[in-house]
Structure formats: C-alpha cells, structure tokens
Amino acid sequence: MQFRNLKKQYEILKPEIDAALLQVLKDSNYISGRQVTELEEELAGYTGVRHCVTCANGTDALTLALMTWGIGKGDAVFVPDFTFFSSAETVAYAGATPVFTDILEDTFNMDPDSLERAVRAVLAEGKLKPKAIVTVDLFGLQADYERIRPIADRYGLYILEDAAQGFGGSCHGKQAGSFGDIAITSFFPAKPLGCYGDGGAVFTDHDEWASLLRSLRIHGKGSDKYDNVRIGLNSRLDTLQAAVLQVKLKAFCEYELRDTDQIAARYTEGLRDCVKVPLIPEGYSSGWAQYSILLKDEKEREEVQSYLREQDVPTMIYYQRGMHQQTAFRGLCLYGEDFTVTEDVCKRVLALPLSPYLTEEEQQKVIRLIREKTSGSKEALA
Ligand SMILES: *Cc1c(COP(=O)(O)O)cnc(C)c1O
C-alpha cells in the first residue's frame, strides 16, 4: 500500500499531464513561461485573494514574506511548537528570533492563549520587538483565526499564514491562503496540491507587498530587468512545474478534494470509538494534508505502527519532536511556555495512508488492523 498514491494519480492524469509537459518542451519557455502567469491567476481565483506570486518552494515563500516585511535582527516571530521545521527555520534564517507557542490537542494548531502569554512575556522582557505570527494550518486544518486575529491586532502583529499543508481547506467559506496578511503554500509532491519537484506560492491582497514579492523572487529586480534595486533571491517556479500544477489543480477542484474528504470521513466513522480522531470544528473544512490519529501512549503507537507495517500498511509520524526540541534551536529562550501538549502529542500521533486514490478495500484494511490492535486496550481503559 502507498502512503500517498502519486503513481495512481499520474496514471489517471497521464494524457493531460503528458500533453502539458510536451507543450512546455515545444515552446521552450522553461522559465517564466505563460503557464506560470496563468497558474498564478487560477490560484489567486481559487484562494480568493488579489495576488498570487509563485516561487521555488514553500520555504522560500516564507522567507520572501518575511523579507517583504523587513523582519530581521531584534524581531520576535511567534511560531507553533508543533510544525514542520521550515515554519521556524525561515524566521531564524531572516535573523529574527522564533518564539514558540504550544498547541491545542483537538486541532493540532496554535493555542491562542499560549500565543498571548508568549507575546506578553517577550514584551515584559523588553529585548525583542514582537513583529509577526506564523500561523500554521496543520494537517490541512485552518488555525483558529477568530481568536488569533484579535491578538494580532491588539499587539500590532502581522499574520503570516503557513498554508503549506492548508491548501484546499476553508472556514465559513473562506479559503486557506486568505487568512494571513500574507499566506504561503507549498507544492512539494506530497502536499494536498503537489507538483513533480519543488514549488511554492505566496498570497496577499496587498498590492505593494505583491510587487515587492515579485521583485524579491527575481534578484530584487526593478522595472528594468537588469537594474537590481534590492537584494532578493532566485526563487521562481519553473514552467514545467506550473504546467503540471494546472492539470492537477483542475483535478483537485473537480474531485480530488471531495474524494479525500469522503475518505477522511470514513476513517473517522471507522475509528472514532477506539482512537482519538482529528476534530474538524463546526464551519471548518480540512484540506486533509494528513489524517492523523492519537493513540493512548507511545507504547500503543509503537505497537499499532509495527502491526500495520507487518501487513504492508505504511504510516508516518508527523512530528517526532517539537521545535523547542530541535537541536538547531537548543538554547533558544522559551519564555516560560512548557509545551506540554506538543510533547504529549509527539509521542502519540500517527498519520494514516491518505490520498484521493486510496481504495475502499485498502482503507477497510487500515481500519480493521487499527481496531484489532486497539480494541483490547480500549477495554482495559473502561
Ligand atoms: C512542507 C512545509 C513547508 C515547506 O515547504 P517546502 O516546499 O518543502 O519548502 C513549510 N511549512 C509547513 C507547515 C510544511 O508542511
């Protein structure tokens, strides 16, 4: 069984993807071809924001956003402790200081109370200037913007929405990628909308930031291509990847997201009485980058994972450790937060095989095996 069945997706989309790739080869516009501009318009339309600026990957997209705001030395940027390394790495790379917040067990997303405590602690210490919050839409579910936005307003902080996993999700009809002052996504192959290599995009409604982003992604170019007016990056999405994404975006909108949502609902139905299933709050809809369950403890997770592995069912642990436990961040000030939830979740979380192409038979097998391995401990609990 495949954890994320990209092979099957290609088999189904092959005629369209092959034609799209061939067209790029025929045109030989490998960089900044028309497919890139078309894709940006399609993505902006889907997300419901004025500007989409594609770039080389999701990590660069975060860096470009931080550069746009001039975030650097002496600035504090708040990041959930439970996320992929990039969310905090890019803050440190920009010269600023990542300040971690704990998460909520039910949604795996940033805990707004922990955020506010961290902001106050940084202000009380008086060394760093709070500048921005990286809100991560983890596993496909939007962070709690209803509670985070007022905190951002109260302390004058930008929201950088890391929707690398959030693409396709929505909250009360508003799409992921439209909640941050700037938002980013990633087209890494395993993300909800992936290309055939690396790719990323930045979203914003702000006209000036959008033109800054367009300059920053191509060596800080001015209106004359060979007059460089600022220091930037070389971070373009290439035309071949844009062509692949145009085909995949169509499939994503037409049926992939809907099918993934149905598969997730079947997991929830089949597993809710024996493990903790992901909570999707009222009014939210997940992009389902992952379907992650929580086992009772580390021992039960180890048993379930090896039992599944023996029967050819791959699972993944996202994530094994919190940001504050990363070697690269050793020695960083933690401002009194203790990350109890993150540390607990790291020991119990397990991501199950998921893609729009997971068959019902495959899924029944996953559910059956997990039930076999956990029902006993459930009885023991009762
Ligand atoms: C994947 C991911 C990124 C980075 O995207 P890349 O395209 O791999 O650079 C950033 N943040 C989160 C939450 C991610 O999952």
Side-chain angles (χ1 to χ4, degrees), residues 29-270:
N29 271 326
Y30 302 115
I31 299 289
S32 311
R34 74 173 159 77
Q35 289 86 343
V36 177
T37 330
E38 286 172 8
L39 175 73
E40 288 181 343
E41 281 163 17
E42 290 160 14
L43 289 169
Y46 178 81
T47 310
V49 294
R50 285 168 61 80
H51 306 282
C52 169
V53 180
T54 54
C55 62
N57 55 69
T59 306
D60 276 7
L62 289 165
T63 293
L64 286 164
L66 296 167
M67 287 172 88
T68 299
W69 291 331
I71 286 177
K73 203 168 161 30
D75 295 334
V77 177
F78 302 87
V79 184
D81 196 46
F82 189 64
T83 179
F84 180 64
F85 192 56
S86 283
S87 312
E89 175 188 33
T90 48
V91 172
Y93 183 71
T97 303
V99 177
F100 306 122
T101 81
D102 209 356
I103 57 155
L104 299 167
E105 189 193 88
D106 281 349
T107 61
F108 301 110
N109 278 329
M110 178 179 264
D111 173 355
D113 292 331
S114 173
L115 167 67
E116 184 150 23
R117 278 196 307 269
V119 176
R120 282 166 182 259
V122 168
L123 285 171
E125 189 207 33
K127 282 192 192 147
L128 299 172
K129 194 170 171 349
K131 274 286 177 66
I133 308 164
V134 177
T135 54
V136 181
D137 301 335
L138 204 74
F139 302 153
L141 179 72
Q142 257 66 132
D144 188 351
Y145 294 98
E146 270 173 59
R147 291 189 57 209
I148 293 173
R149 177 56 77 182
I151 298 173
D153 290 346
R154 200 170 311 141
Y155 298 97
L157 309 173
Y158 292 125
I159 293 184
L160 171 49
E161 178 187 359
D162 180 348
Q165 300 180 19
F167 192 82
S170 65
C171 174
H172 298 293
K174 206 166 137 56
Q175 290 291 323
S178 71
F179 289 89
D181 299 300
I182 297 182
I184 71 98
T185 198
S186 160
F187 304 122
F188 182 82
K191 307 282 166 150
L193 176 66
C195 58
Y196 287 163
D198 279 308
V202 190
F203 298 90
T204 186
D205 276 328
H206 197 292
D207 297 346
E208 259 169 62
W209 293 344
S211 47
L212 249 176
L213 286 161
R214 292 206 166 89
S215 162
L216 287 167
R217 78 169 156 178
I218 309 183
H219 308 291
K221 76 178 171 73
S223 42
D224 175 336
K225 190 175 166 191
Y226 293 101
D227 181 22
N228 301 82
V229 298
R230 57 181 64 84
I231 302 301
L233 304 177
N234 172 15
S235 185
R236 289 168 295 222
L237 180 74
D238 66 66
T239 314
L240 282 167
Q241 300 303 343
V244 169
L245 284 166
Q246 282 190 293
V247 175
K248 289 225 209 170
L249 178 61
K250 210 163 126 265
F252 186 82
C253 296
E254 282 173 8
Y255 58 87
E256 282 191 351
L257 182 59
R258 179 203 64 205
D259 292 355
T260 310
D261 198 50
Q262 281 171 3
I263 291 167
R266 285 208 300 262
Y267 268 142
T268 297
E269 204 42 49

